[in-house]
Amino acid sequence: MRSAGLTAAALAAALAILCGCSGADREETGPVETVQPLRAPAPSPTPVPAPAASGPSTFVYEGELEQGGWIIGQVPAGTVSARLDLRDLTLTQDGRFLAGFDRDAPGDAVLVAKLRDGRTVTSPLTIEPRAWRIENINIARNPTGPSEAFMKIRRPELARINAARSQDAHSDGWSQSFIWPVKGRISGLFGSQRVYRGVPASYHTGLDIAPGGGVPYVAPADGVVTLAANDPFSLEGKLLIIDHGMGLNSAFLHSSSLAVKEGDVVRQGQVLGTVGMTGRATGPHLHWSIKWRDTRLDPLLFLPPQ
């Protein structure tokens, strides 16, 4: 993954090669300027945010613009609000933002900024499709849903998970270059799916890494612990959720032990727990999932090669 911060030097370099065109946006009032987005040059290791008032005249961004991917960028100078398609974006004081693209995201999207002077700037994005690993099974899927006895246990667990993911931690982990929480055999890929005689099951929501039971895993980026379930959940087992800020969070499933507790501020590389097979698991592995708000993202797209 490329570094996710944007520097003043990077923005200045992007402005130096700026080109654009104007057009109309039927959904907005007032004059509209449509410009092609620019990919930001590689930032320095210690990013220095540029003041929003003296920022770029269009969106500047970097990221993985594909299904399950992400984008981090800078809004145009003078922006008072911005959105990705119909979803409002959270902006830092210096105008940076994070957004993600669902596993089944369509092929195009648009960034929209409303400026202080009444203008609207739009930047179209092309989201690359991906060839997911699909396994066709020639048997009928079991139509029986979960029992009421199971759901009596499951509902409080889901409530805790939703509450943990709805928190808004003050962390800059989202802007870091993520590292591997643990290295090992990849036993499951994000987005893979089974289809039972034409009926698709739910797709795999994370990345499974199998280094062996009891191996420690670490924080891929800074964050705040919003859930640490030492009493195993029915499916996830000992579950840990880390909020990296800006609506981005990581969940780590099936741990044999947890080394942190709820409310802890964790730093990149800090030990979080050990790999196990608690909950519903057929062998020891770490299931790592990432969400931006309610959008599931592919952890592999945040990582350098193993």
Side-chain angles (χ1 to χ4, degrees), residues 105-157:
D108 51 42
V110 62
L111 291 167
V112 181
K114 289 185 177 181
L115 306 189
R116 190 176 296 112
D117 61 10
R119 290 183 300 125
T120 299
V121 175
T122 66
S123 287
L125 304 174
T126 298
I127 311 304
E128 296 295 329
R130 295 174 65 183
W132 303 109
R133 181 175 293 182
I134 305 297
E135 183 180 2
N136 290 288
I137 309 296
N138 191 28
I139 58 174
R141 187 181 181 189
N142 188 347
T144 304
S147 67
E148 181 55 35
F150 172 77
M151 289 308 299
K152 186 175 181 180
I153 298 171
R154 188 61 178 156
R155 288 189 190 101
E157 295 175 348

Side-chain angles (χ1 to χ4, degrees), residues 81-281:
S81 66
R83 55 183 170 85
L84 173 64
D85 291 331
L86 299 178
R87 305 186 71 179
D88 292 335
L89 297 174
T90 301
L91 305 179
T92 63
Q93 289 186 344
D94 58 338
R96 292 182 298 159
F97 67 90
L98 165 78
F101 310 104
D102 193 77
R103 184 254 200 190
D104 299 316
D108 51 42
V110 62
L111 291 167
V112 181
K114 289 185 177 181
L115 306 189
R116 190 176 296 112
D117 61 10
R119 290 183 300 125
T120 299
V121 175
T122 66
S123 287
L125 304 174
T126 298
I127 311 304
E128 296 295 329
R130 295 174 65 183
W132 303 109
R133 181 175 293 182
I134 305 297
E135 183 180 2
N136 290 288
I137 309 296
N138 191 28
I139 58 174
R141 187 181 181 189
N142 188 347
T144 304
S147 67
E148 181 55 35
F150 172 77
M151 289 308 299
K152 186 175 181 180
I153 298 171
R154 188 61 178 156
R155 288 189 190 101
E157 295 175 348
L158 292 174
R160 288 184 64 187
I161 292 171
N162 291 333
R165 282 181 160 151
S166 66
Q167 294 187 37
D168 186 14
H170 297 289
S171 175
D172 292 326
W174 63 275
S175 66
Q176 294 177 318
S177 295
F178 277 44
I179 63 173
W180 286 82
V182 67
K183 293 185 178 181
R185 179 176 63 89
I186 303 302
S187 59
L189 293 172
F190 173 86
S192 59
Q193 188 175 36
R194 288 182 173 180
V195 178
Y196 295 88
R197 289 186 180 175
V199 180
S202 299
Y203 68 82
H204 191 244
T205 60
L207 177 68
D208 289 347
I209 311 171
V215 175
Y217 65 91
V218 303
D222 292 356
V224 178
V225 179
T226 57
L227 193 154
N230 276 296
D231 293 329
F233 280 18
S234 54
L235 301 182
E236 298 86 359
K238 293 190 176 184
L239 170 64
L240 186 68
I241 296 181
I242 306 293
D243 188 340
H244 302 296
M246 292 289 278
L248 190 72
N249 59 72
S250 288
F252 304 94
L253 283 61
H254 311 308
S255 301
S256 60
S257 65
L258 301 179
V260 293
K261 62 183 184 302
E262 291 177 18
D264 283 356
V265 175
V266 297
R267 300 302 179 192
Q268 186 177 68
Q270 178 179 337
V271 172
L272 301 177
T274 54
V275 174
M277 55 180 294
T278 55
R280 188 172 295 179

